[in-house]
Amino acid sequence: MTGMDVICDLIRDVEDFPEPGIVFKDITPLLSDPEAFAAAIDAMAAPWLTAEPGREVTKVAGIESRGFIFGVPVAQRLSVGFVPVRKQGKLPFDSIAQDYNREYGPDTIEIHADAVDVGDRVLIVDDVLATAGTALAAATLIGAAGATVAGFSALIELGFLAPRSLLGDFAVESVVVFGGD
């Protein structure tokens, strides 16, 4: 069995969570397997280790909360700093906010106003790329703070929701794609 097969096998479907009709992709079995988790982190970081123009990364931004689980080790692999993208009211210092619509209703995310610098190229990391609402809100925050989005890295992409079509020209790398083309 390949490393990718192991990763896929350790992502379980939970039906009707968090509400009826939703099939939730549960990553907790993957997190409990250190070798598979390390392989997932390596796969998420690998496309960004290159010196290819447009792939340079100076910081990684992880989206609360599961994006923290993957974002910090991806940042370590890339030898760059980490920026937490938090839900509204969770950051202790001056912050900037972005409202957006997610799968289950409206929400707001924030970053510290000094989290990124002009010229930074920020990789946005999350566990699942679904409707792209949170990803786009994070990209807007990064841009508002003066940095550039290098791209997106996700463990899981729900291809049947076509999130890439909403992300325009941004580079998107996903380890596992469920559904779609």
Side-chain angles (χ1 to χ4, degrees):
M1 193 178 317
T2 69
M4 198 59 59
D5 291 334
V6 171
I7 290 170
C8 287
D9 287 348
L10 290 172
I11 299 170
R12 75 175 149 213
D13 288 345
V14 178
E15 298 204 19
D16 297 321
F17 184 83
E19 57 188 53
I22 302 293
V23 178
F24 184 81
K25 298 295 185 188
D26 181 13
I27 61 168
T28 56
L30 174 68
L31 298 177
S32 71
D33 184 311
E35 290 177 13
F37 180 60
I41 296 304
D42 288 343
M44 291 177 76
W48 308 99
L49 288 168
T50 178
E52 181 182 329
R55 292 285 177 150
E56 308 91 351
V57 174
T58 59
K59 292 201 174 133
V60 168
I63 299 173
E64 186 171 339
S65 64
R66 291 179 304 270
F68 294 179
I69 295 169
F70 294 95
V72 170
V74 167
Q76 287 180 318
R77 294 281 199 295
L78 298 177
S79 298
V80 300
F82 177 77
V83 175
V85 179
R86 304 265 349 236
K87 294 176 183 170
Q88 188 173 34
K90 299 288 185 176
L91 291 172
F93 191 67
D94 296 336
S95 62
I96 57 175
Q98 179 64 44
D99 296 327
Y100 69 103
N101 289 314
R102 57 186 200 127
E103 299 91 308
Y104 314 113
D107 212 343
T108 303
I109 55 174
E110 298 178 327
I111 61 172
H112 278 146
D114 63 354
V116 297
D117 297 313
V118 173
D120 272 337
R121 293 190 43 80
V122 181
L123 176 63
I124 299 172
V125 172
D126 207 355
D127 66 326
V128 177
L129 182 58
T131 63
T134 311
L136 285 171
T140 300
L141 278 176
I142 297 303
T148 300
V149 174
F152 296 90
S153 182
L155 173 67
I156 300 166
E157 179 179 338
L158 302 181
F160 58 89
L161 294 175
R164 288 175 190 249
S165 67
L166 301 172
L167 294 175
D169 293 332
F170 286 120
V172 179
E173 300 287 346
S174 301
V175 176
V176 178
V177 178
F178 291 103
D181 296 332

